[in-house]
Amino acid sequence: MTETIMLMGTSSHVGKSILATALCRIFYQAGRRVVPFKAQNMALNSYVTKDGGEMGRAQVAQAEAAGLAPMVDMNPVLLKPTGNSCSQVIVDGKPIGNMSAREYHKGKSVQLFGHVTAALTRLQQQFDTIVIEGAGSPAEINLKEDDIVNMRVAKYLQAPVLLIADIDRGGSLAALVGTLELLDEEELALVKGLVINKFRGDVTLMTPAVDFLEQKTGKPVLGIVPYLEHLGIDDEDSVSLEEKEHEAERQKQTKELRLAVVETPKISNFTDFDALADEPDAEVLYVRDAEELLAAAPDVILLPGSKNTTEDLLHVRESGLAQAIRQLVDGGTPLVGICGGYQMLGEEIADPHHTESSYDVVKGLGYLPMKTVFAEEKRTVQVAADCPGMEFYDGVLMGKGLSGYEIHMGRTEFTAPVRHPFHLTRQGENAVNIWDGALSEDGRIFGTYLHGVFDHDGFRRQFLNVLRLHKGLRPLPVQRNRHLEKERAYDRLAETVRKSLDMEKLAAIMEGRA
C-alpha cells in the first residue's frame, strides 16, 4: 500500500515546495520509492520532460531530490498566467487553451480532477511513498468549492496533512489557528500535525508558542524549521524572483562582472540565469526600467523568455527600455536573448492566430535579420546541441553535448544569411541536424531557443571569461559543478529538516499509527 503525506500552508509561499523537496530527499535516502505530486501548479517557470510534456519546476526539483526523472504525472495541471486574469491551461503536459480565472475556476477545474486522480493511480502503481504539495491555503472559502489541489486531493486519498506556517512574515500562530477554524470536520480530521517554518533565532524561545498551539488546536507541532538561505535549488515563480532581487541588492558592487536581466511583466523561465548568479565573479541584476538598466552599466544584457512575448516587447519599447538597450549596445555592450528574448531581437513578431495577444504584428528590436510567426501548437521538446565555435564578443564559445529544452509557440525564419551558434543533434528521441539561434555580424549579439544553455559548467565559464577578457581580467577555470552542488544542496536541506522535525511522529502519522 502506498503511503502518503500532504503539505498544505496557511497561505502561499510559506515553504511548502522546499519542505516537500526535503521530504522527498529524506525518503529517497531511506531507500523508499518516493515520488512528488502537485495536482495543479500556477507558475511562469516550467520545464519540458523527456517525452515533451510541460510541468512546473517545483516538482522538477522534488523529482531530482527523489532521484527521479521528471514526468508530467507529478504535476498533471499547470496554469501559466498570460495577463489580464487569464492563464494558459496545460493538462497532462499539453496546452488545451487560454482561460480566464472565472472560466477556469467556475467550470473547468473540477472537470480536470479526473486527470488528477488518473495520475495518482499511475503513481500509486509505481511508488511506495507520495509526497503531495498543496497550493495557497485550504481555507480560501471563495475557491474551496472548485479546488482540485488541496483538500479535494487529501479527501480522495485520505492522506494525512501537515499544515505549515511561515513565522518570518509574522502572525504564524494566528494563521495556523485561523486556518483550522475554517476547515470542516472531515478536513480538520485529516490535519495530523503543524509545522512552523522559516524561524530565525533561538528555537527554545518557541516553547510557549508550541504549548499554546497544541493545547488550542489539539494538533501536535512536529517541528520548527529554521530559515534556510542560499539553498541552490531551482525556484518556481515571481515571488522567488523578488527574493533573487533582494539578494542581488545585498551583493551589489561586490563582483567583477555585472549581468543585467531585463525583467519584463511576463518574464518566464528566469531559472535560465540561476547558474550565472551562482558564479563567484558574476552579479545578476534584474532591471525593470531604462534608468535601472543604464545605472547598472552591465557587462552584458540578457533578454529572458516570456509568457507573452508580444506584450512584453511592447512594454520594452514603451517603457524606454528599448532605447536604453540601443544606447548600451551602440556603446559596445553585448546582448543575448533566450526564447522570447531571442524572438524580440528580430525584425517583427506576428501572431495571426492571436495565440498570445490581440496584436497581429509587433515590430521587433531589429538586431537580427529574422521574423517570428506564432503557431497554434506549442513546441515542447528536450534537445541536445553542440556549439562548434561561436565568435562572440572578443572570444570563441564552444561546447559539445549541451542539453536543454525548447518551449515556444513561435517559428522563426531568416530574412538574410546569418550565422547560427548552436547545432541541434537531438530533439526528444530523434537524431536531427538542425541549426539553432542567430549571431549578429559583429559577434556581439546572439539569441537561441535553448533553455538551460548556461547550466553547462564549461560553456557558462567560457561565456563569463569572454566578458572578463574584454575588461582586462584574467580568465578563471570552471568554478562550479552545478549537478554536484545541487545534489549537495538537497542533502543539506534534508539534514536540516530531518533534525528539525519529529521524524518518528511523522512516520507514525504516515503509517496511520498517530
Side-chain angles (χ1 to χ4, degrees), residues 257 259 272-282 397-398 402 452-467 476 478-483 485:
L257 299 176
L259 289 64
D272 283 333
F273 311 114
D274 283 358
L276 291 167
D278 288 339
E279 290 288 340
D281 58 336
L397 303 182
M398 303 180 70
L402 307 177
V453 68
F454 291 122
D455 287 346
H456 298 271
D457 303 324
F459 183 84
R460 181 175 67 252
R461 178 39 55 188
Q462 289 179 57
F463 176 78
L464 294 175
N465 279 344
V466 167
L467 302 180
L476 298 178
V478 171
Q479 302 288 295
R480 303 286 194 194
N481 182 323
R482 186 149 174 79
H483 172 74
E485 289 187 356

Side-chain angles (χ1 to χ4, degrees), residues 262-377:
V262 177
E263 184 185 338
T264 54
K266 302 298 185 297
I267 184 174
S268 68
N269 290 79
F270 52 80
T271 47
D272 283 333
F273 311 114
D274 283 358
L276 291 167
D278 288 339
E279 290 288 340
D281 58 336
E283 176 187 359
V284 174
L285 303 171
Y286 287 83
V287 296
R288 293 190 178 93
D289 55 45
E291 184 179 358
E292 285 185 343
L293 178 57
L294 294 173
D299 297 296
V300 65
I301 304 168
L302 301 169
L303 278 176
S306 169
K307 187 60 196 72
N308 195 317
T309 308
T310 51
E311 290 193 3
D312 272 354
L313 178 54
L314 288 171
H315 168 80
V316 167
R317 183 173 290 112
E318 293 166 357
S319 66
L321 275 165
Q323 185 176 352
I325 292 170
R326 176 68 66 178
Q327 179 179 330
L328 290 170
V329 169
D330 288 348
T333 304
L335 174 62
V336 177
I338 295 181
C339 197
Y342 167 44
Q343 294 170 344
M344 293 182 196
L345 296 177
E347 296 165 353
E348 70 174 35
I349 297 175
D351 190 1
H353 305 290
H354 295 165
T355 55
E356 282 199 359
S357 72
S358 59
Y359 299 96
D360 293 323
V361 179
V362 175
K363 184 180 178 182
L365 299 178
Y367 292 104
L368 297 173
M370 64 188 209
K371 296 181 179 181
T372 299
V373 178
F374 285 151
E376 292 184 284
E377 184 176 348

Side-chain angles (χ1 to χ4, degrees), residues 125 156 167 169 176-177 181 184 199 233 251 280 284 318 363 381 421 449 482 501:
Q125 292 169 351
Y156 173 79
I167 195 171
R169 66 172 59 181
L176 287 166
V177 173
E181 288 288 335
D184 64 34
F199 180 75
I233 296 172
Q251 296 181 359
V284 174
E318 293 166 357
K363 184 180 178 182
V381 63
Y449 275 122
R482 186 149 174 79
L501 297 185

Side-chain angles (χ1 to χ4, degrees), residues 39-40 76-79 89-92 96 99 104 107-118 148 152:
Q40 172 191 290
V77 180
L78 174 64
L79 305 179
V89 181
I90 296 167
V91 180
D92 294 332
I96 64 170
M99 299 183 190
Y104 179 77
K108 192 65 178 178
S109 61
V110 175
Q111 296 175 20
L112 297 178
F113 193 64
H115 294 268
V116 173
T117 58
I148 64 167
R152 192 181 296 267

Side-chain angles (χ1 to χ4, degrees), residues 68-82:
L68 300 173
M71 52 187 178
V72 295
D73 276 348
M74 300 171 182
N75 174 213
V77 180
L78 174 64
L79 305 179
K80 299 188 75 174
T82 60

